[in-house]
mmCIF file of all heavy atoms in Angstrom:
data_model
loop_
_atom_site.group_PDB
_atom_site.id
_atom_site.type_symbol
_atom_site.label_atom_id
_atom_site.label_comp_id
_atom_site.label_asym_id
_atom_site.label_seq_id
_atom_site.Cartn_x
_atom_site.Cartn_y
_atom_site.Cartn_z
ATOM 1 N N THR A 1430 70.419 260.926 -9.342
ATOM 2 C CA THR A 1430 70.748 262.342 -9.902
ATOM 3 C C THR A 1430 71.969 262.916 -9.112
ATOM 4 O O THR A 1430 72.463 262.404 -8.191
ATOM 5 C CB THR A 1430 69.480 263.224 -9.612
ATOM 6 O OG1 THR A 1430 69.130 263.162 -8.192
ATOM 7 C CG2 THR A 1430 68.224 262.718 -10.414
ATOM 8 N N ASN A 1431 72.344 264.018 -9.727
ATOM 9 C CA ASN A 1431 73.541 264.901 -9.229
ATOM 10 C C ASN A 1431 74.778 263.912 -9.156
ATOM 11 O O ASN A 1431 75.499 263.905 -8.135
ATOM 12 C CB ASN A 1431 73.243 265.360 -7.863
ATOM 13 C CG ASN A 1431 72.005 266.354 -7.792
ATOM 14 O OD1 ASN A 1431 71.913 267.139 -8.710
ATOM 15 N ND2 ASN A 1431 71.168 265.994 -6.757
ATOM 16 N N VAL A 1432 74.816 263.025 -10.117
ATOM 17 C CA VAL A 1432 76.014 262.074 -10.207
ATOM 18 C C VAL A 1432 77.274 262.636 -10.737
ATOM 19 O O VAL A 1432 77.261 263.238 -11.771
ATOM 20 C CB VAL A 1432 75.465 260.832 -11.027
ATOM 21 C CG1 VAL A 1432 76.619 259.785 -11.188
ATOM 22 C CG2 VAL A 1432 74.202 260.227 -10.567
ATOM 23 N N SER A 1433 78.270 262.351 -10.055
ATOM 24 C CA SER A 1433 79.615 262.782 -10.456
ATOM 25 C C SER A 1433 80.743 261.975 -9.869
ATOM 26 O O SER A 1433 80.663 261.374 -8.767
ATOM 27 C CB SER A 1433 79.932 264.262 -10.102
ATOM 28 O OG SER A 1433 80.076 264.446 -8.695
ATOM 29 N N VAL A 1434 81.828 261.867 -10.674
ATOM 30 C CA VAL A 1434 82.985 261.232 -10.085
ATOM 31 C C VAL A 1434 84.228 262.130 -10.359
ATOM 32 O O VAL A 1434 84.339 262.526 -11.646
ATOM 33 C CB VAL A 1434 83.231 259.864 -10.786
ATOM 34 C CG1 VAL A 1434 84.571 259.261 -10.365
ATOM 35 C CG2 VAL A 1434 82.114 258.865 -10.450
ATOM 36 N N SER A 1435 84.920 262.616 -9.551
ATOM 37 C CA SER A 1435 86.049 263.490 -9.655
ATOM 38 C C SER A 1435 87.304 262.921 -8.984
ATOM 39 O O SER A 1435 87.324 262.233 -8.139
ATOM 40 C CB SER A 1435 85.645 264.925 -9.059
ATOM 41 O OG SER A 1435 85.424 264.864 -7.656
ATOM 42 N N LEU A 1436 88.424 263.329 -9.705
ATOM 43 C CA LEU A 1436 89.722 262.896 -9.229
ATOM 44 C C LEU A 1436 90.510 264.010 -8.641
ATOM 45 O O LEU A 1436 90.497 265.160 -9.305
ATOM 46 C CB LEU A 1436 90.506 262.242 -10.518
ATOM 47 C CG LEU A 1436 89.721 261.203 -11.263
ATOM 48 C CD1 LEU A 1436 90.573 260.754 -12.427
ATOM 49 C CD2 LEU A 1436 89.326 259.993 -10.387
ATOM 50 N N SER A 1437 91.235 263.850 -7.591
ATOM 51 C CA SER A 1437 92.047 264.955 -7.004
ATOM 52 C C SER A 1437 93.232 265.167 -7.851
ATOM 53 O O SER A 1437 93.811 266.213 -7.904
ATOM 54 C CB SER A 1437 92.500 264.569 -5.568
ATOM 55 O OG SER A 1437 93.335 263.447 -5.520
ATOM 56 N N ASP A 1438 93.775 264.122 -8.623
ATOM 57 C CA ASP A 1438 94.824 264.271 -9.576
ATOM 58 C C ASP A 1438 94.558 263.529 -10.779
ATOM 59 O O ASP A 1438 94.517 262.235 -10.807
ATOM 60 C CB ASP A 1438 96.163 263.749 -8.876
ATOM 61 C CG ASP A 1438 97.439 264.168 -9.642
ATOM 62 O OD1 ASP A 1438 97.333 264.494 -10.930
ATOM 63 O OD2 ASP A 1438 98.514 264.184 -9.220
ATOM 64 N N SER A 1439 94.262 264.169 -11.789
ATOM 65 C CA SER A 1439 93.788 263.605 -13.127
ATOM 66 C C SER A 1439 94.920 263.362 -13.995
ATOM 67 O O SER A 1439 94.684 262.895 -15.207
ATOM 68 C CB SER A 1439 92.717 264.458 -13.748
ATOM 69 O OG SER A 1439 93.207 265.691 -14.088
ATOM 70 N N ARG A 1440 96.173 263.491 -13.670
ATOM 71 C CA ARG A 1440 97.286 263.197 -14.518
ATOM 72 C C ARG A 1440 97.537 261.659 -14.519
ATOM 73 O O ARG A 1440 97.116 261.005 -13.691
ATOM 74 C CB ARG A 1440 98.593 263.898 -14.022
ATOM 75 C CG ARG A 1440 98.501 265.454 -14.013
ATOM 76 C CD ARG A 1440 99.678 266.018 -13.364
ATOM 77 N NE ARG A 1440 99.600 265.909 -11.999
ATOM 78 C CZ ARG A 1440 100.608 266.278 -11.138
ATOM 79 N NH1 ARG A 1440 101.697 266.961 -11.657
ATOM 80 N NH2 ARG A 1440 100.538 266.028 -9.893
ATOM 81 N N VAL A 1441 98.176 261.185 -15.682
ATOM 82 C CA VAL A 1441 98.431 259.860 -15.817
ATOM 83 C C VAL A 1441 99.321 259.200 -14.871
ATOM 84 O O VAL A 1441 100.321 259.963 -14.266
ATOM 85 C CB VAL A 1441 99.008 259.487 -17.218
ATOM 86 C CG1 VAL A 1441 97.998 259.796 -18.363
ATOM 87 C CG2 VAL A 1441 100.335 260.233 -17.482
ATOM 88 N N SER A 1442 99.160 258.036 -14.390
ATOM 89 C CA SER A 1442 99.989 257.236 -13.554
ATOM 90 C C SER A 1442 100.281 258.005 -12.180
ATOM 91 O O SER A 1442 101.309 257.995 -11.658
ATOM 92 C CB SER A 1442 101.487 257.027 -14.179
ATOM 93 O OG SER A 1442 101.228 256.295 -15.338
ATOM 94 N N ARG A 1443 99.141 258.558 -11.646
ATOM 95 C CA ARG A 1443 99.236 259.280 -10.312
ATOM 96 C C ARG A 1443 98.354 258.775 -9.316
ATOM 97 O O ARG A 1443 97.195 258.315 -9.565
ATOM 98 C CB ARG A 1443 98.996 260.743 -10.555
ATOM 99 C CG ARG A 1443 99.833 261.508 -11.505
ATOM 100 C CD ARG A 1443 101.112 261.861 -10.776
ATOM 101 N NE ARG A 1443 102.022 262.588 -11.712
ATOM 102 C CZ ARG A 1443 102.858 263.522 -11.179
ATOM 103 N NH1 ARG A 1443 103.001 263.698 -9.905
ATOM 104 N NH2 ARG A 1443 103.669 264.186 -12.064
ATOM 105 N N PRO A 1444 98.770 258.701 -8.010
ATOM 106 C CA PRO A 1444 97.743 258.374 -6.954
ATOM 107 C C PRO A 1444 96.773 259.438 -6.963
ATOM 108 O O PRO A 1444 97.031 260.615 -7.114
ATOM 109 C CB PRO A 1444 98.690 258.412 -5.767
ATOM 110 C CG PRO A 1444 100.034 258.261 -6.199
ATOM 111 C CD PRO A 1444 100.153 258.911 -7.529
ATOM 112 N N THR A 1445 95.509 259.039 -6.702
ATOM 113 C CA THR A 1445 94.477 260.110 -6.746
ATOM 114 C C THR A 1445 93.250 259.757 -5.731
ATOM 115 O O THR A 1445 92.930 258.533 -5.666
ATOM 116 C CB THR A 1445 93.857 260.225 -8.153
ATOM 117 O OG1 THR A 1445 92.832 261.211 -8.119
ATOM 118 C CG2 THR A 1445 93.282 259.016 -8.657
ATOM 119 N N ASP A 1446 92.727 260.719 -5.064
ATOM 120 C CA ASP A 1446 91.480 260.521 -4.379
ATOM 121 C C ASP A 1446 90.427 260.441 -5.375
ATOM 122 O O ASP A 1446 90.460 261.072 -6.455
ATOM 123 C CB ASP A 1446 91.146 261.744 -3.459
ATOM 124 C CG ASP A 1446 92.138 261.760 -2.293
ATOM 125 O OD1 ASP A 1446 92.825 260.816 -1.989
ATOM 126 O OD2 ASP A 1446 92.254 262.933 -1.647
ATOM 127 N N VAL A 1447 89.409 259.578 -5.139
ATOM 128 C CA VAL A 1447 88.213 259.501 -6.022
ATOM 129 C C VAL A 1447 87.044 259.900 -5.188
ATOM 130 O O VAL A 1447 86.729 259.277 -4.157
ATOM 131 C CB VAL A 1447 88.024 258.102 -6.584
ATOM 132 C CG1 VAL A 1447 86.756 257.978 -7.517
ATOM 133 C CG2 VAL A 1447 89.300 257.641 -7.373
ATOM 134 N N THR A 1448 86.246 260.948 -5.669
ATOM 135 C CA THR A 1448 85.132 261.425 -4.891
ATOM 136 C C THR A 1448 83.919 261.155 -5.739
ATOM 137 O O THR A 1448 83.786 261.560 -6.907
ATOM 138 C CB THR A 1448 85.232 262.947 -4.647
ATOM 139 O OG1 THR A 1448 86.467 263.243 -3.841
ATOM 140 C CG2 THR A 1448 83.989 263.466 -3.845
ATOM 141 N N ILE A 1449 82.961 260.389 -5.173
ATOM 142 C CA ILE A 1449 81.787 259.936 -5.795
ATOM 143 C C ILE A 1449 80.601 260.614 -5.163
ATOM 144 O O ILE A 1449 80.488 260.545 -3.943
ATOM 145 C CB ILE A 1449 81.604 258.396 -5.742
ATOM 146 C CG1 ILE A 1449 82.855 257.678 -6.241
ATOM 147 C CG2 ILE A 1449 80.344 257.932 -6.503
ATOM 148 C CD1 ILE A 1449 83.056 256.314 -5.708
ATOM 149 N N ARG A 1450 79.754 261.186 -5.936
ATOM 150 C CA ARG A 1450 78.494 261.931 -5.429
ATOM 151 C C ARG A 1450 77.289 261.495 -6.166
ATOM 152 O O ARG A 1450 77.415 261.359 -7.443
ATOM 153 C CB ARG A 1450 78.680 263.319 -5.447
ATOM 154 C CG ARG A 1450 79.791 264.005 -4.499
ATOM 155 C CD ARG A 1450 79.766 265.466 -4.462
ATOM 156 N NE ARG A 1450 80.830 266.042 -3.662
ATOM 157 C CZ ARG A 1450 82.039 266.383 -4.036
ATOM 158 N NH1 ARG A 1450 82.390 266.335 -5.351
ATOM 159 N NH2 ARG A 1450 82.918 266.858 -3.160
ATOM 160 N N TYR A 1451 76.177 261.322 -5.503
ATOM 161 C CA TYR A 1451 74.904 261.184 -6.113
ATOM 162 C C TYR A 1451 73.879 261.272 -5.072
ATOM 163 O O TYR A 1451 74.020 261.264 -3.932
ATOM 164 C CB TYR A 1451 74.900 259.688 -6.727
ATOM 165 C CG TYR A 1451 75.129 258.529 -5.774
ATOM 166 C CD1 TYR A 1451 73.978 257.963 -5.072
ATOM 167 C CD2 TYR A 1451 76.410 258.176 -5.532
ATOM 168 C CE1 TYR A 1451 74.260 256.930 -4.205
ATOM 169 C CE2 TYR A 1451 76.568 257.030 -4.631
ATOM 170 C CZ TYR A 1451 75.498 256.492 -3.986
ATOM 171 O OH TYR A 1451 75.739 255.439 -3.032
ATOM 172 N N THR A 1452 72.542 261.428 -5.668
ATOM 173 C CA THR A 1452 71.310 261.580 -4.871
ATOM 174 C C THR A 1452 70.486 260.374 -5.134
ATOM 175 O O THR A 1452 70.180 260.088 -6.300
ATOM 176 C CB THR A 1452 70.673 262.836 -5.019
ATOM 177 O OG1 THR A 1452 71.516 264.031 -4.951
ATOM 178 C CG2 THR A 1452 69.463 263.007 -4.278
ATOM 179 N N THR A 1453 70.078 259.750 -4.117
ATOM 180 C CA THR A 1453 69.232 258.541 -4.161
ATOM 181 C C THR A 1453 67.821 258.882 -4.626
ATOM 182 O O THR A 1453 67.349 259.871 -4.278
ATOM 183 C CB THR A 1453 69.236 257.638 -2.978
ATOM 184 O OG1 THR A 1453 68.711 258.408 -1.864
ATOM 185 C CG2 THR A 1453 70.619 257.197 -2.611
ATOM 186 N N ALA A 1454 67.134 257.899 -5.296
ATOM 187 C CA ALA A 1454 65.736 258.118 -5.596
ATOM 188 C C ALA A 1454 64.918 257.149 -4.798
ATOM 189 O O ALA A 1454 63.675 257.387 -4.546
ATOM 190 C CB ALA A 1454 65.461 257.863 -7.074
ATOM 191 N N THR A 1455 65.494 256.053 -4.242
ATOM 192 C CA THR A 1455 64.756 255.013 -3.558
ATOM 193 C C THR A 1455 65.471 254.736 -2.233
ATOM 194 O O THR A 1455 66.647 254.727 -2.123
ATOM 195 C CB THR A 1455 64.775 253.588 -4.323
ATOM 196 O OG1 THR A 1455 64.251 253.871 -5.622
ATOM 197 C CG2 THR A 1455 63.919 252.599 -3.647
ATOM 198 N N THR A 1456 64.632 254.557 -1.202
ATOM 199 C CA THR A 1456 65.118 254.303 0.114
ATOM 200 C C THR A 1456 65.877 252.928 0.167
ATOM 201 O O THR A 1456 65.354 251.938 -0.404
ATOM 202 C CB THR A 1456 63.908 254.238 1.235
ATOM 203 O OG1 THR A 1456 63.352 255.495 1.282
ATOM 204 C CG2 THR A 1456 64.429 253.856 2.531
ATOM 205 N N LEU A 1457 67.036 252.858 0.849
ATOM 206 C CA LEU A 1457 67.743 251.660 1.043
ATOM 207 C C LEU A 1457 67.726 251.211 2.395
ATOM 208 O O LEU A 1457 67.968 252.001 3.368
ATOM 209 C CB LEU A 1457 69.257 252.010 0.624
ATOM 210 C CG LEU A 1457 69.477 252.445 -0.828
ATOM 211 C CD1 LEU A 1457 70.966 252.718 -0.978
ATOM 212 C CD2 LEU A 1457 69.022 251.542 -1.881
ATOM 213 N N ASP A 1458 67.431 249.903 2.648
ATOM 214 C CA ASP A 1458 67.421 249.459 3.989
ATOM 215 C C ASP A 1458 67.344 247.882 3.927
ATOM 216 O O ASP A 1458 67.233 247.256 2.906
ATOM 217 C CB ASP A 1458 66.195 249.861 4.868
ATOM 218 C CG ASP A 1458 64.950 249.623 4.319
ATOM 219 O OD1 ASP A 1458 64.713 248.549 3.559
ATOM 220 O OD2 ASP A 1458 63.933 250.360 4.586
ATOM 221 N N ALA A 1459 67.694 247.159 5.030
ATOM 222 C CA ALA A 1459 67.903 245.720 5.061
ATOM 223 C C ALA A 1459 66.540 245.078 4.906
ATOM 224 O O ALA A 1459 66.426 244.048 4.238
ATOM 225 C CB ALA A 1459 68.539 245.326 6.419
ATOM 226 N N PRO A 1460 65.444 245.503 5.576
ATOM 227 C CA PRO A 1460 64.091 244.704 5.451
ATOM 228 C C PRO A 1460 63.660 244.584 3.986
ATOM 229 O O PRO A 1460 63.111 243.569 3.644
ATOM 230 C CB PRO A 1460 63.222 245.565 6.334
ATOM 231 C CG PRO A 1460 64.030 246.232 7.322
ATOM 232 C CD PRO A 1460 65.305 246.531 6.620
ATOM 233 N N SER A 1461 63.871 245.604 3.181
ATOM 234 C CA SER A 1461 63.496 245.636 1.840
ATOM 235 C C SER A 1461 64.474 244.845 0.873
ATOM 236 O O SER A 1461 64.120 244.620 -0.246
ATOM 237 C CB SER A 1461 63.276 246.993 1.322
ATOM 238 O OG SER A 1461 64.564 247.700 1.158
ATOM 239 N N LEU A 1462 65.576 244.440 1.493
ATOM 240 C CA LEU A 1462 66.652 243.778 0.723
ATOM 241 C C LEU A 1462 67.258 244.720 -0.274
ATOM 242 O O LEU A 1462 68.120 244.389 -1.079
ATOM 243 C CB LEU A 1462 66.220 242.553 -0.128
ATOM 244 C CG LEU A 1462 65.595 241.398 0.736
ATOM 245 C CD1 LEU A 1462 65.261 240.262 -0.118
ATOM 246 C CD2 LEU A 1462 66.645 241.028 1.897
ATOM 247 N N ARG A 1463 67.041 246.056 -0.126
ATOM 248 C CA ARG A 1463 67.583 247.171 -0.868
ATOM 249 C C ARG A 1463 68.785 247.726 -0.022
ATOM 250 O O ARG A 1463 68.695 248.617 0.665
ATOM 251 C CB ARG A 1463 66.657 248.217 -1.207
ATOM 252 C CG ARG A 1463 65.412 247.788 -2.083
ATOM 253 C CD ARG A 1463 64.499 248.904 -2.391
ATOM 254 N NE ARG A 1463 63.311 248.454 -3.072
ATOM 255 C CZ ARG A 1463 62.167 248.404 -2.519
ATOM 256 N NH1 ARG A 1463 61.956 248.759 -1.205
ATOM 257 N NH2 ARG A 1463 61.040 248.019 -3.127
ATOM 258 N N ARG A 1464 69.933 247.071 -0.172
ATOM 259 C CA ARG A 1464 71.019 247.465 0.758
ATOM 260 C C ARG A 1464 72.311 247.896 0.135
ATOM 261 O O ARG A 1464 73.174 248.442 0.914
ATOM 262 C CB ARG A 1464 71.394 246.141 1.744
ATOM 263 C CG ARG A 1464 70.197 245.890 2.678
ATOM 264 C CD ARG A 1464 70.810 245.152 3.800
ATOM 265 N NE ARG A 1464 71.385 243.774 3.335
ATOM 266 C CZ ARG A 1464 72.143 242.943 4.145
ATOM 267 N NH1 ARG A 1464 72.380 243.263 5.322
ATOM 268 N NH2 ARG A 1464 72.482 241.829 3.592
ATOM 269 N N ASN A 1465 72.466 247.688 -1.165
ATOM 270 C CA ASN A 1465 73.753 248.085 -1.834
ATOM 271 C C ASN A 1465 73.724 249.549 -2.032
ATOM 272 O O ASN A 1465 73.074 250.092 -2.991
ATOM 273 C CB ASN A 1465 74.052 247.284 -3.044
ATOM 274 C CG ASN A 1465 74.462 245.821 -2.750
ATOM 275 O OD1 ASN A 1465 75.581 245.564 -2.231
ATOM 276 N ND2 ASN A 1465 73.575 244.810 -3.039
ATOM 277 N N LEU A 1466 74.488 250.226 -1.193
ATOM 278 C CA LEU A 1466 74.632 251.753 -1.402
ATOM 279 C C LEU A 1466 75.301 252.022 -2.717
ATOM 280 O O LEU A 1466 74.929 253.103 -3.212
ATOM 281 C CB LEU A 1466 75.538 252.217 -0.204
ATOM 282 C CG LEU A 1466 75.643 253.727 0.025
ATOM 283 C CD1 LEU A 1466 74.333 254.409 0.245
ATOM 284 C CD2 LEU A 1466 76.562 254.022 1.150
ATOM 285 N N LEU A 1467 76.188 251.263 -3.212
ATOM 286 C CA LEU A 1467 76.719 251.375 -4.397
ATOM 287 C C LEU A 1467 77.513 250.161 -4.959
ATOM 288 O O LEU A 1467 78.209 249.501 -4.205
ATOM 289 C CB LEU A 1467 77.846 252.555 -4.492
ATOM 290 C CG LEU A 1467 78.486 252.905 -5.823
ATOM 291 C CD1 LEU A 1467 77.395 253.555 -6.844
ATOM 292 C CD2 LEU A 1467 79.657 253.889 -5.719
ATOM 293 N N ILE A 1468 77.249 249.734 -6.209
ATOM 294 C CA ILE A 1468 78.065 248.804 -6.923
ATOM 295 C C ILE A 1468 78.477 249.509 -8.209
ATOM 296 O O ILE A 1468 77.687 250.076 -8.923
ATOM 297 C CB ILE A 1468 77.153 247.652 -7.271
ATOM 298 C CG1 ILE A 1468 76.735 246.790 -6.090
ATOM 299 C CG2 ILE A 1468 77.979 246.658 -8.269
ATOM 300 C CD1 ILE A 1468 75.833 245.643 -6.328
ATOM 301 N N ALA A 1469 79.810 249.648 -8.405
ATOM 302 C CA ALA A 1469 80.308 250.362 -9.538
ATOM 303 C C ALA A 1469 81.648 249.777 -10.061
ATOM 304 O O ALA A 1469 82.356 249.165 -9.349
ATOM 305 C CB ALA A 1469 80.459 251.815 -9.040
ATOM 306 N N THR A 1470 81.854 250.002 -11.314
ATOM 307 C CA THR A 1470 83.178 249.669 -12.041
ATOM 308 C C THR A 1470 83.739 250.951 -12.557
ATOM 309 O O THR A 1470 82.974 251.636 -13.298
ATOM 310 C CB THR A 1470 82.931 248.540 -13.027
ATOM 311 O OG1 THR A 1470 82.288 247.412 -12.450
ATOM 312 C CG2 THR A 1470 84.233 248.236 -13.757
ATOM 313 N N PHE A 1471 85.032 251.243 -12.338
ATOM 314 C CA PHE A 1471 85.580 252.541 -12.803
ATOM 315 C C PHE A 1471 86.681 252.249 -13.848
ATOM 316 O O PHE A 1471 87.631 251.524 -13.509
ATOM 317 C CB PHE A 1471 86.131 253.291 -11.578
ATOM 318 C CG PHE A 1471 85.079 253.728 -10.624
ATOM 319 C CD1 PHE A 1471 84.891 253.005 -9.457
ATOM 320 C CD2 PHE A 1471 84.228 254.764 -10.874
ATOM 321 C CE1 PHE A 1471 84.043 253.318 -8.492
ATOM 322 C CE2 PHE A 1471 83.329 255.037 -9.974
ATOM 323 C CZ PHE A 1471 83.124 254.433 -8.819
ATOM 324 N N GLY A 1472 86.571 252.788 -14.985
ATOM 325 C CA GLY A 1472 87.533 252.662 -16.022
ATOM 326 C C GLY A 1472 88.713 253.587 -15.802
ATOM 327 O O GLY A 1472 88.531 254.713 -15.184
ATOM 328 N N GLY A 1473 89.909 253.242 -16.218
ATOM 329 C CA GLY A 1473 91.064 254.109 -16.065
ATOM 330 C C GLY A 1473 91.713 254.193 -14.722
ATOM 331 O O GLY A 1473 92.606 254.988 -14.487
ATOM 332 N N LEU A 1474 91.156 253.430 -13.804
ATOM 333 C CA LEU A 1474 91.675 253.484 -12.335
ATOM 334 C C LEU A 1474 92.127 252.074 -11.919
ATOM 335 O O LEU A 1474 91.404 251.103 -12.177
ATOM 336 C CB LEU A 1474 90.670 254.054 -11.418
ATOM 337 C CG LEU A 1474 90.111 255.439 -11.764
ATOM 338 C CD1 LEU A 1474 88.975 255.797 -10.810
ATOM 339 C CD2 LEU A 1474 91.188 256.507 -11.748
ATOM 340 N N ALA A 1475 93.270 252.016 -11.305
ATOM 341 C CA ALA A 1475 93.728 250.763 -10.624
ATOM 342 C C ALA A 1475 93.647 250.897 -9.158
ATOM 343 O O ALA A 1475 94.276 251.772 -8.617
ATOM 344 C CB ALA A 1475 95.120 250.413 -11.013
ATOM 345 N N MET A 1476 92.803 249.978 -8.547
ATOM 346 C CA MET A 1476 92.598 250.129 -7.105
ATOM 347 C C MET A 1476 93.135 248.923 -6.364
ATOM 348 O O MET A 1476 92.974 247.818 -6.880
ATOM 349 C CB MET A 1476 91.035 250.260 -6.805
ATOM 350 C CG MET A 1476 90.383 251.461 -7.470
ATOM 351 S SD MET A 1476 88.521 251.362 -7.074
ATOM 352 C CE MET A 1476 88.103 252.917 -7.856
#
């Protein structure tokens, strides 16, 4: 929930900070093998 992705500069062909926000629903930890804090693919951005 509360998921958002915002750009500090949304103009074309510009360097930009990418700020990602979200609220988890499930606990993440190593013993449960639930460890990936985020796996994501972003369109329109070259990293």
Side-chain angles (χ1 to χ4, degrees):
T1430 54
N1431 305 314
V1432 177
S1433 68
V1434 174
S1435 58
L1436 311 178
S1437 63
D1438 192 339
S1439 60
R1440 294 173 293 176
V1441 296
S1442 303
R1443 295 284 183 150
T1445 181
D1446 292 342
V1447 180
T1448 301
I1449 305 158
R1450 295 187 178 95
Y1451 58 90
T1452 302
T1453 60
T1455 305
T1456 297
L1457 305 175
D1458 57 28
S1461 68
L1462 300 183
R1463 302 183 183 103
R1464 290 199 299 169
N1465 283 293
L1466 187 62
L1467 183 67
I1468 294 177
T1470 302
F1471 298 101
L1474 301 176
M1476 300 182 178

